[in-house]
């Protein structure tokens, strides 16, 4: 039996075909070849056409089926992972009404901040576990206030993964985990937040129906099956935001376990068994994939928007160079890059900075002292330091992280990045042969009832373990302290 997993990112669509009998991933695809465009109509805005995601799903599925011969009847389920916090609006004919407002769009920051004060900060933190901030509910309110001609035509609102599920099944539905990431969920009431909807004047009927994270969420329509060359009636059996799914793909399910990723954005995600929150909402708590009435499982998420995108910006700026060559060059510079500091806050408002949009900063540059190698090292160190700043906030919530799991991908392909991360944060890093698309396929196998959670991770292997080094740790902590002083200067 086989299962397909899709991971709808903002830079690409990834797909994986899993043999559930062996646990092996037998084929993968990433589309398009170059990163998908993010439209920026105004400063701090970020939009994408949801139909472009569907187009790349079609292309990725075609590549999967060309790379591995499988009878479509043997594909028993589909899983979906997706970029979090986005907003897709469709009409009664399920046609998209405007470009999706995606995760790194900052237009609704003031909207969410006003709601935080009006509803009461403590109320929001105790019930939503977050400030409404720049999340999906606030983006919807922004449309209501600024694009009423669009708002009045909305039949359903959904997250990016909900949209792809609708294209597959014809049904508009979402999950409790998804509602929590949009700040639509009241953790105290265990229901959709009536107070937030009332304050924003949003009709609850605009929200999609709730389905379980694991289980039958709909079946492939004849039209979608013909387009994808799959079997009609194939069920969609798993759905989760990219960070809960990344944690799931690494078998991070129990309190005290943590996962990290460093793609376009960087995230550290730790599982907690309490409804905990940061008093300043700099890190955020959402419902984890395995939460149930008997066992509270929440994911505490810190996000740094400017991670891989900062490194790719530098790559494009420098010109004809590969990422491995950049990593080699960066290693030629010493720890601390001779005082050169990078603050990678150039991809929208940063929650760890209380929703400030500082922009990226290169500090202490000396033309006669610093080379390309120093800049490349400073970028990687700056990303690590930004992530560690968020982990310091998590520690204030009694989430002490000593070991993290990550996929062997993106920034974690860089030996320098791994070294800096392990020694700055004083954590052990475990790298695995998995990614979000494979995780979504494993989730689909569980949701279809084909394998147990215990058996779902057959075929996943630990490829490397990186431990802190006492001598390097001292150096990195000193450099991190200097970076923190620079950050304080920027913020004040």
């Amino acid at each position: 039996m086989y299962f397909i997993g899709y991971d709808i990112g903002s830079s690409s669509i990834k797909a994986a075909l899993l043999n559930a009998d062996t646990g092996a991933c037998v084929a993968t695809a990433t589309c398009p070849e170059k990163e998908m465009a993010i439209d920026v109509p105004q400063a701090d805005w970020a939009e994408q056409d949801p139909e472009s995601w569907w187009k790349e799903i079609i292309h990725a599925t075609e590549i999967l089926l060309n790379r591995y011969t499988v009878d479509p009847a043997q594909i028993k389920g589909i899983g979906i992972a997706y970029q979090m916090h986005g907003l897709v609006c469709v009409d009664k004919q399920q046609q998209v009404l405007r470009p999706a407002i995606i995760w790194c769009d900052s237009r609704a920051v003031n909207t969410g901040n006003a709601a935080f004060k009006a509803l009461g900060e403590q109320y929001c933190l105790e019930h939503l576990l977050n400030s409404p901030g720049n999340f999906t509910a606030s983006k919807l309110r922004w449309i209501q206030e600024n694009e009423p001609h669009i708002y009045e035509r909305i039949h359903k609102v959904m997250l990016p993964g909900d949209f792809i599920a609708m294209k597959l099944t014809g049904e508009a539905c979402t999950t409790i985990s998804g509602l929590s990431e949009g700040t639509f969920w009241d953790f105290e009431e265990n229901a959709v937040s009536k107070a937030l909807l009332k304050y924003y004047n949003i009709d609850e009927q605009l929200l999609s129906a709730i389905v379980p994270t694991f289980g039958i969420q709909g079946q492939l329509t004849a039209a979608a099956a013909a387009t994808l060359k799959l079997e009609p009636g194939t069920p969609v059996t798993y759905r989760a935001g990219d960070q809960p799914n990344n944690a799931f793909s690494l078998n991070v399910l129990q309190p005290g376990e943590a996962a990290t990723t460093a793609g376009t954005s960087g995230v550290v995600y730790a599982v907690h068994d309490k409804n905990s929150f940061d008093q300043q909402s700099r890190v955020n708590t959402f419902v984890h994939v395995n939460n149930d009435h008997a066992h509270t499982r929440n994911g505490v998420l810190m996000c740094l928007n400017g991670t891989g995108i900062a490194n790719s910006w530098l790559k494009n700026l420098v010109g004809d160079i590969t990422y491995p060559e950049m990593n080699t060059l960066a290693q030629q510079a010493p720890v601390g890059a001779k005082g050169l500091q990078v603050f990678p806050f150039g991809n929208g408002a940063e929650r760890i900075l209380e929703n400030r949009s500082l922009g990226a900063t290169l500090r202490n540059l000396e033309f006669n002292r610093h080379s390309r190698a120093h800049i490349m090292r400073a970028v990687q160190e700056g990303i690590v330091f930004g992530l560690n700043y968020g982990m310091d906030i998590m520690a204030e919530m009694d989430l002490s992280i000593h070991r993290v799991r990550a996929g062997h991908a993106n920034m974690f392909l860089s030996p320098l990045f791994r070294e800096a991360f392990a020694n700055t944060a004083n954590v052990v890093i475990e790298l695995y042969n998995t990614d979000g698309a494979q995780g979504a396929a494993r989730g689909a196998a569980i949701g279809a009832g084909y394998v147990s959670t215990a058996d779902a991770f057959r075929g996943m292997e630990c490829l490397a373990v990186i431990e802190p080094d006492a001598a390097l740790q001292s150096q990195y902590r000193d450099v991190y302290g200097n970076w923190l002083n620079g950050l304080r200067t920027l913020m004040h």
Side-chain angles (χ1 to χ4, degrees), residues 257-390:
E257 296 178 340
T260 184
T261 182
T264 301
S265 64
V267 164
V268 178
Y269 184 102
V271 179
H272 208 8
D273 58 0
K274 297 180 177 61
N275 288 342
S276 57
F277 53 83
D278 169 49
Q279 196 67 42
Q280 295 165 267
S281 201
R282 296 165 297 174
V283 301
N284 304 102
T285 303
F286 307 113
V287 175
H288 195 32
V289 296
N290 61 332
N291 181 74
D292 58 40
H293 292 297
H295 305 94
T296 297
R297 295 291 182 269
N298 291 324
V300 179
L301 183 157
M302 69 76 34
C303 178
L304 174 68
N305 292 353
T307 304
I309 194 170
N311 207 39
S312 93
W313 174 85
L314 180 59
K315 178 178 182 292
N316 293 333
L317 187 70
V318 170
D320 189 18
I321 191 170
T322 65
Y323 284 119
E325 288 169 343
M326 287 176 67
N327 296 335
T328 299
L329 196 57
Q331 286 179 292
Q332 295 175 12
V335 174
K338 290 187 177 179
L340 190 61
Q341 296 176 332
V342 168
F343 300 87
F345 306 122
N347 195 29
E350 294 282 1
R351 293 200 292 276
I352 56 172
L353 305 182
E354 299 178 56
N355 281 324
R356 288 183 174 93
S357 292
L358 289 185
T361 301
L362 181 65
R363 194 165 182 263
N364 300 331
L365 176 65
E366 297 182 32
F367 300 133
N368 296 318
R369 192 165 185 239
H370 296 124
S371 67
R372 290 195 307 170
H374 296 95
I375 295 174
M376 289 175 183
R377 178 165 200 127
V379 166
Q380 293 202 28
E381 289 183 348
I383 294 166
V384 167
F385 297 157
L387 290 168
N388 194 73
Y389 181 78

Side-chain angles (χ1 to χ4, degrees), residues 189-269:
E189 302 295 332
N190 198 33
V192 169
S193 174
K194 304 290 187 184
L196 184 69
L197 293 182
K198 182 178 179 180
Y199 173 77
Y200 276 163
N201 193 28
I202 293 171
D203 186 345
E204 189 174 340
Q205 295 301 310
L206 295 183
L207 302 182
S208 300
I210 297 174
V211 294
T213 296
F214 297 92
I216 305 297
Q217 302 178 352
Q219 297 179 326
L220 209 57
T221 64
T227 299
L228 297 172
K229 296 182 174 56
L230 297 176
E231 192 80 4
T234 303
V236 174
T237 55
Y238 170 80
R239 189 181 329 174
D242 52 8
Q243 299 310 326
N245 176 71
N246 180 64
F248 167 74
S249 72
L250 292 160
N251 197 16
V252 170
L253 295 168
Q254 302 307 323
E257 296 178 340
T260 184
T261 182
T264 301
S265 64
V267 164
V268 178
Y269 184 102

